[in-house]
């Protein structure tokens, strides 16, 4: 992972780790893998795929264009009371969209000039013992410049 | 058989039923639990030759151990317990220093209508 995408990840986590999200995803927001003790439901943020890296003559980095995945993970027993798991995930993801909006501020002199939601990912149901863990999320396109 | 278990089993369990319905958008909702039976005498032990395992589920690592939970098929009042592994859970009550233990049913083995030997999983 490049130094620039790491800064984007840090900024994205900071934007999502707010009460509007964590009041619903009570297990917290995690980059990459949640801790073993994290309790569902939670939000997972990962860099999904690299995009274009643009350099000038002399290999100077102009911008990086990556896809990020923001995912709400919940199971039948660990979600908002009296909501279906899918409805819970929808509420969490709506809160995530509101939290990061269409811009991010990076530290260390880097600037994001475009943040765009690309598409929803298909719902993924995962069997676990006597219940189902449901993964819902969306892809975010973030273009960052150093 | 309930009397036999009463005499030999140090623990009791409650059988929880998940209340499952459908919301207006067609999604399944679990809206609470109720008791199928309570204070049922029981024994539990790790499954023989099962050393437990780690699984990557829900994007995180979970430790799982299989247990054999045994209890009579009838309550002390004589009612037949009809178990459904899909919607029932077993909760063993606290005893002394022992905390409450939650068991997720994987499969129900009905021993000729006298007792259940449930294969269960206990997480983390």
């Amino acid at each position: 992972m490049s130094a620039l995408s790491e800064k984007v990840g840090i900024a994205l986590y900071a934007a999502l780790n707010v009460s509007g999200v964590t009041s619903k995803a009570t297990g917290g927001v995690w980059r990459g893998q949640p801790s073993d003790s994290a309790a569902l439901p939670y939000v997972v943020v990962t860099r999904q795929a690299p995009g274009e890296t643009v350099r000038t003559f002399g290999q100077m980095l102009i911008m990086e264009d990556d896809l990020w995945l923001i995912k709400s993970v919940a199971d039948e027993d660990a979600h908002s009371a009296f909501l279906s798991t899918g409805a819970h995930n929808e509420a969490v993801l709506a809160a995530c969209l509101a939290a990061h909006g269409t811009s991010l501020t990076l530290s260390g002199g880097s600037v994001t000039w475009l943040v765009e939601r690309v598409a929803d990912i298909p719902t993924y149901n995962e069997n676990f013992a006597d219940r189902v863990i449901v993964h819902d999320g969306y892809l975010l396109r973030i273009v960052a410049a150093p | 058989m309930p009397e036999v278990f009463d005499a030999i089993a140090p623990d009791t369990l409650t059988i929880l039923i998940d209340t499952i319905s459908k919301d207006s958008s067609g999604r399944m909702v679990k809206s609470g639990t109720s008791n199928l039976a309570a204070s049922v005498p029981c024994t539990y032990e790790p499954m023989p030759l099962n050393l437990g395992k780690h699984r990557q589920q829900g994007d995180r690592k979970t430790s799982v151990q299989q247990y054999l939970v045994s209890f009579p098929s009838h309550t002390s009042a004589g009612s037949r317990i009809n178990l459904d592994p899909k919607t029932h859970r077993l909760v063993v009550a606290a005893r002394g220093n022992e905390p409450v233990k939650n068991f997720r049913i994987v499969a129900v083995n009905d021993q000729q209508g006298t007792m259940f030997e449930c294969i269960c999983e206990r997480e983390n």
Side-chain angles (χ1 to χ4, degrees), chain B residues 70-122:
Chain B
S70 304
F71 51 96
S73 58
H74 290 71
T75 66
S76 56
S79 300
R80 213 307 177 161
I81 298 172
N82 292 311
L83 274 186
D84 181 353
K86 301 184 300 296
T87 57
H88 293 167
R89 278 184 270 158
L90 306 176
V91 181
V92 175
R95 172 174 57 86
N97 288 332
E98 286 301 301
V100 170
K101 295 182 176 69
N102 291 288
F103 292 97
R104 301 277 185 171
I105 302 176
V106 175
V108 174
N109 295 327
D110 188 333
Q111 294 283 356
Q112 290 186 281
T114 59
M115 61 179 281
F116 292 114
E117 287 186 329
C118 291
I119 299 172
C120 300
E121 284 189 349
R122 196 162 165 242

Side-chain angles (χ1 to χ4, degrees), chain A residues 65-135:
Chain A
D65 183 352
D66 290 331
L67 272 181
W68 291 80
L69 170 63
I70 295 173
K71 190 166 63 167
S72 175
V73 186
D75 75 13
E76 299 166 5
D77 299 331
H79 55 85
S80 307
F82 305 113
L83 277 182
S84 66
T85 315
H88 161 85
N89 283 345
E90 286 298 311
V92 170
L93 295 174
C96 291
L97 279 169
H100 63 65
T102 56
S103 65
L104 281 178
T105 301
L106 305 188
S107 67
S110 302
V111 176
T112 302
W113 61 273
L114 181 64
V115 174
E116 185 178 313
R117 178 171 163 270
V118 174
D120 294 338
I121 65 170
T123 297
Y124 173 57
N125 293 330
E126 181 183 11
N127 285 331
F128 183 29
D130 62 344
R131 62 205 187 278
V132 175
I133 296 175
V134 182
H135 304 241

Side-chain angles (χ1 to χ4, degrees), chain A residues 10-81:
Chain A
I10 291 169
L12 190 52
Y13 166 77
L16 292 174
N17 191 31
V18 295
S19 61
V21 174
T22 56
S23 61
K24 296 178 176 64
T26 52
V29 179
W30 298 90
R31 278 181 68 202
Q33 172 138 342
S35 79
D36 297 349
S37 59
L40 290 168
Y42 41 73
V43 167
V44 179
V45 179
T46 58
R47 190 167 71 111
Q48 180 71 12
E52 184 180 8
T53 299
V54 178
R55 297 180 181 275
T56 65
F57 297 113
Q59 297 297 313
M60 182 184 297
L61 179 65
I62 296 297
M63 68 178 189
E64 281 189 19
D65 183 352
D66 290 331
L67 272 181
W68 291 80
L69 170 63
I70 295 173
K71 190 166 63 167
S72 175
V73 186
D75 75 13
E76 299 166 5
D77 299 331
H79 55 85
S80 307

Side-chain angles (χ1 to χ4, degrees), chain B residues 21-108:
Chain B
S21 59
K22 190 163 63 173
D23 70 12
S24 58
S25 75
R27 288 178 168 136
M28 179 194 74
V29 180
K30 279 190 180 180
S31 53
T33 59
S34 57
N35 289 353
L36 176 67
S39 301
V40 178
C42 70
T43 63
Y44 63 88
E45 58 180 322
M47 285 286 287
L49 302 179
N50 188 306
L51 301 179
K53 53 190 167 187
H54 278 143
R55 291 206 295 238
Q56 183 83 2
Q57 306 223 229
D59 287 355
R60 97 199 136 160
K61 190 172 61 181
T62 302
S63 174
V64 175
Q65 173 64 47
Q66 283 202 334
Y67 278 77
L68 194 67
V69 181
S70 304
F71 51 96
S73 58
H74 290 71
T75 66
S76 56
S79 300
R80 213 307 177 161
I81 298 172
N82 292 311
L83 274 186
D84 181 353
K86 301 184 300 296
T87 57
H88 293 167
R89 278 184 270 158
L90 306 176
V91 181
V92 175
R95 172 174 57 86
N97 288 332
E98 286 301 301
V100 170
K101 295 182 176 69
N102 291 288
F103 292 97
R104 301 277 185 171
I105 302 176
V106 175
V108 174

